């Protein structure tokens, strides 16, 4: 069976770690947790809005992954499969309470790349407006769940459109449509309140 001695230094792929785990080397899962813990916890935090829930659901995500990894067939990327577990847990939790989150309001070019319009206030300018966080949280809370998830995966988690499509199990075109519509609705909602520009996008979980 595959063993991991020396692999941490060499940088095994997720697929190699999964294969090692399925072959009986359970230490491989520890490496997967270290590799993906902050990303998964960050995604959950953006959806749920509280650090306590982010930690709780992140732990639950990896527990479910550990129990199911033995039967994982590799039909999708391990990371996509892991995000699926996390999102499903968030959806279950969100059904029991109203969630709030912070997301990017960056414009997108035709290829889906984020950019900041130079004729608008900078992110720092907007941060200094005390009501911005509450306004964005309110706008995001009003978004359909499917749009909120795509925005978080693209803008915060930096997943490609293809990776998001794989994670959510929807066509690539659907991912792009949800993203564009979601960002458009956010901007429209905020502009009605006299807020124009972009909200800052932290690179990592706090």
């Amino acid at each position: 069976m595959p063993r991991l001695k020396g692999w941490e230094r060499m940088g095994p792929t997720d697929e190699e770690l999964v294969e090692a785990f399925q072959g009986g080397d359970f230490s491989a899962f520890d490496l997967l947790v270290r590799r993906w813990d902050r990303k998964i916890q960050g995604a959950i935090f953006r959806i749920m809005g509280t650090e306590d829930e982010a930690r709780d659901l992140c732990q639950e995500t990896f527990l479910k992954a550990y129990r199911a990894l033995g039967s994982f067939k590799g039909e999708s990327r391990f990371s996509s499969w892991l995000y699926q577990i996390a999102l499903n847990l968030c959806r279950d939790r969100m059904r029991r309470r109203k969630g709030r989150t912070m997301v990017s309001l960056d414009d997108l070019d035709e290829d889906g790349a984020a950019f900041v319009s130079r004729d608008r206030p900078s992110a720092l300018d907007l941060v200094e407006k005390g009501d911005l966080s509450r306004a964005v949280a309110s706008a995001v809370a009003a978004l359909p769940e499917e749009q909120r998830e795509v925005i978080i995966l693209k803008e915060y988690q930096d997943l490609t459109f293809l990776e998001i499509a794989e994670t959510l199990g929807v066509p690539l075109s659907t991912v792009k449509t949800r993203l564009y519509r979601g960002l458009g609705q956010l901007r429209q909602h905020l502009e009605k309140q006299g807020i124009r520009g972009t909200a800052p996008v932290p690179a990592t979980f706090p």
Side-chain angles (χ1 to χ4, degrees), residues 36-157:
W36 288 102
D37 178 73
R38 288 183 64 82
K39 293 284 283 185
I40 295 298
Q41 190 169 337
I44 296 172
F45 174 76
R46 303 303 168 194
I47 295 172
M48 304 306 301
T50 70
E51 293 185 27
D52 286 344
E53 282 186 305
R55 284 191 291 268
D56 179 41
L57 291 177
C58 184
Q59 290 176 1
E60 192 171 344
T61 295
F62 282 104
L63 178 59
K64 288 178 72 71
Y66 183 87
R67 290 171 174 170
L69 192 57
S71 59
F72 177 67
K73 295 180 172 57
E75 295 175 351
S76 65
R77 294 178 182 84
F78 169 79
S79 58
S80 297
W81 179 71
L82 196 61
Y83 275 115
Q84 286 176 353
I85 295 173
L87 289 176
N88 285 333
L89 288 171
C90 288
R91 290 165 185 162
D92 290 341
R93 185 69 61 89
M94 291 284 280
R95 292 188 184 100
R96 296 192 292 271
R97 69 117 170 136
K98 184 178 180 180
R100 305 177 77 85
T101 186
M102 288 292 294
V103 298
S104 166
L105 297 183
D106 288 349
D107 287 332
L108 297 175
D109 62 21
E110 293 181 354
D111 295 323
F115 68 90
V116 178
S117 178
R118 297 306 176 188
D119 61 352
R120 294 181 175 183
S122 69
L124 181 59
D125 292 334
L126 291 171
V127 168
E128 293 174 349
K129 297 182 179 180
D131 290 337
L132 177 63
S133 294
R134 288 189 294 274
V136 174
S138 177
V140 172
L143 282 177
E145 180 180 86
E146 59 188 21
Q147 293 178 4
R148 182 170 58 248
E149 291 176 352
V150 169
I151 287 173
I152 290 170
L153 293 176
K154 183 69 175 69
E155 296 293 285
Y156 280 103
Q157 303 305 111

